[in-house]
Amino acid sequence: MITLEQVQKLDEKIKQAVSLISTLREENAQLRSTLSNYECKINDLENVVASLEDGQTKIELGLMDALTKLNDLDFVENEQIEEKTSGELSPSEETEIVNDEQIEKNDHSKQVENTTEESFSGEIVEDEIVEDEIVEDEIVEDEIVEDEIV
């Protein structure tokens, strides 16, 4: 037969099990709520990523279009320049070319730079010659002193 103590132990274990089940149900509800929140955030982030990708695609297309227009513009300008150089120049273009040539002729800075560089290189050569002469003089003097000693 079953004793009173066994019934009390069984009652105590049932109460613990019910308490544990209750706690687990609360925790499960919290986890489901958290999961639902995370799923909403994931969906929002996926939408943001999709809109960013669309924006990036639009930017890339815009840049490609702008580059194409620039290339076309350069091509048109090059064709116009080739046409002008093959044909006669307008008076204003001739004047501009002549002015550019005169500016280059009157620009003495390049001439001054060359003169300065040449003078420096000349000084270096002169210094080397003087140093060589000094060394040769010392060698000759040393030989004379040695001859006198011997």
Side-chain angles (χ1 to χ4, degrees):
M1 191 103 304
I2 299 179
T3 63
L4 183 61
E5 287 178 14
Q6 290 175 337
V7 173
Q8 288 174 349
K9 283 182 183 180
L10 181 61
D11 186 44
E12 190 177 310
K13 286 186 180 185
I14 290 174
K15 286 180 184 178
Q16 286 177 350
V18 169
S19 174
L20 180 62
I21 290 171
S22 169
T23 304
L24 291 174
R25 284 184 179 166
E26 289 174 8
E27 186 177 328
N28 190 9
Q30 288 175 349
L31 290 174
R32 288 181 190 268
S33 173
T34 304
L35 177 63
S36 175
N37 289 338
Y38 285 146
E39 287 174 346
C40 288
K41 287 181 182 181
I42 288 172
N43 288 334
D44 291 343
L45 291 173
E46 286 175 347
N47 291 334
V48 168
V49 167
S51 68
L52 289 175
E53 287 175 350
D54 289 341
Q56 183 176 359
T57 303
K58 289 178 183 176
I59 289 171
E60 288 175 358
L61 291 174
L63 287 173
M64 297 290 282
D65 186 46
L67 288 173
T68 303
K69 288 179 181 177
L70 282 174
N71 286 337
D72 291 344
L73 180 64
D74 286 342
F75 180 73
V76 169
E77 286 179 1
N78 288 338
E79 283 182 353
Q80 290 174 352
I81 290 171
E82 288 175 6
E83 288 174 5
K84 286 182 181 180
T85 55
S86 65
E88 290 188 23
L89 296 175
S90 68
S92 63
E93 292 172 334
E94 287 178 6
T95 306
E96 185 177 326
I97 291 172
V98 169
N99 287 339
D100 289 343
E101 289 174 357
Q102 288 175 351
I103 290 171
E104 287 179 13
K105 286 180 183 177
N106 293 332
D107 187 12
H108 298 291
S109 63
K110 292 180 182 175
Q111 295 171 353
V112 170
E113 288 176 6
N114 289 340
T115 306
T116 307
E117 289 176 7
E118 289 170 0
S119 65
F120 282 135
S121 64
E123 289 176 11
I124 293 170
V125 171
E126 289 175 11
D127 288 344
E128 289 175 0
I129 292 171
V130 170
E131 287 177 7
D132 289 343
E133 289 176 2
I134 292 172
V135 171
E136 288 176 7
D137 289 343
E138 289 176 0
I139 292 172
V140 170
E141 288 176 8
D142 289 344
E143 289 176 357
I144 292 172
V145 170
E146 287 178 4
D147 288 342
E148 292 175 1
I149 295 176
V150 175

